[in-house]
Amino acid sequence: MKSKIIDKYNLKTPLIGVTGKKHDSAAEAKASFELYKYGFVPYDSMFGQVFFDVEGKPFWARPDFIHLATGVFAEFKTKRTNGKEFKARADKAMQDVEQQIAAGRIKESHRGYKQLEHAWNHSIQKVAAVSNQLPLQTPLVLIYEKALGLNEERRCKKNGVFMLSLQNLSGFAMFLRMASLGLAVGYERHGFRYSAKAN
């Protein structure tokens, strides 16, 4: 059954996105309207495989969006990803945050900021593990709400993560459009290359 498409973002229902799906954040819901213009829709399922961090600890992952015509997945972030290398350390850091909140040493309202700093789901290493362990025909792109500059693109590239922002998505979207039509096309940005073969 096809979802009903909502015309525009509504501040009165801040977590509801373009397809009526309830998102994890208002920013992600709002971004869904922009991403929909380029063929991306919210994705509700987990990837069909287990991923492993650099210590070999398993974890599951779910992308935020999928480009239906090509199968390209997207992870959406509003802020720069943190540098937590290991899932266990990220989980321990968040346990410490929860204990400090319970003890009154950190305000409850600061939980979100601490998640950005410490949580595994906000780690560049988590995005890298998923991106690098997916099959080659299942690419993942990290899309930031706003452009974070060339240093962040280099940091992502160093970790094997292809990064864009909502502001510079149009060129990649054109590549996806041509690929969905069965054309043999390629796309390159700061050393990252994607290609699609003609049917």
Side-chain angles (χ1 to χ4, degrees), residues 178-189:
M178 290 188 288
S180 72
L181 295 173
L183 301 174
V185 291
Y187 179 85
E188 182 176 347
R189 182 177 171 87

Side-chain angles (χ1 to χ4, degrees), residues 2-3 5-6 18-19 31-42 65 68 169:
K2 195 170 180 179
S3 301
I5 302 305
I6 299 170
V18 67
T19 61
S32 73
F33 290 86
E34 186 68 21
L35 289 166
Y36 184 76
K37 297 175 191 174
Y38 297 117
F40 285 92
V41 295
F65 297 93
L68 285 178
L169 187 60

Side-chain angles (χ1 to χ4, degrees), residues 10-161:
N10 187 340
L11 286 171
K12 293 180 181 177
T13 54
L15 297 179
I16 303 302
V18 67
T19 61
K21 175 190 184 281
K22 185 175 181 181
H23 289 264
D24 295 333
S25 70
E28 185 181 296
K30 189 174 184 181
S32 73
F33 290 86
E34 186 68 21
L35 289 166
Y36 184 76
K37 297 175 191 174
Y38 297 117
F40 285 92
V41 295
Y43 195 75
D44 291 324
S45 301
M46 301 295 275
F47 283 116
Q49 70 182 80
V50 177
F51 300 94
F52 298 90
D53 73 1
V54 292
E55 289 186 316
K57 301 292 184 193
F59 67 93
W60 290 91
R62 177 181 59 83
D64 297 316
F65 297 93
I66 185 171
H67 188 267
L68 285 178
T70 60
V72 171
F73 290 101
E75 182 79 14
F76 178 78
K77 298 293 181 195
T78 58
K79 304 288 184 192
R80 183 179 186 268
T81 51
N82 68 50
K84 294 292 182 191
E85 293 185 74
F86 312 112
K87 183 179 186 306
R89 289 185 190 173
D91 292 347
K92 173 73 169 76
M94 282 310 301
Q95 287 174 358
D96 291 346
V97 167
E98 292 302 330
Q99 289 172 355
Q100 291 183 49
I101 289 172
R105 291 190 292 272
I106 295 177
K107 293 181 181 177
E108 176 84 27
S109 61
H110 291 180
R111 179 182 277 117
Y113 299 110
K114 293 298 182 182
Q115 288 173 336
L116 291 172
E117 290 177 11
H118 302 293
W120 180 244
N121 64 316
H122 289 289
S123 168
I124 188 68
Q125 295 300 329
K126 180 253 183 181
V127 178
V130 172
S131 184
N132 295 320
Q133 293 171 39
L134 281 170
L136 288 176
Q137 67 273 22
T138 312
L140 174 73
V141 60
L142 172 62
I143 301 175
Y144 279 115
E145 181 179 33
K146 295 178 181 174
L148 295 182
L150 192 55
N151 284 341
E152 181 61 10
E153 289 203 37
R154 288 177 180 145
R155 175 178 172 256
C156 287
K157 181 183 175 185
K158 181 181 174 185
N159 286 285
V161 174

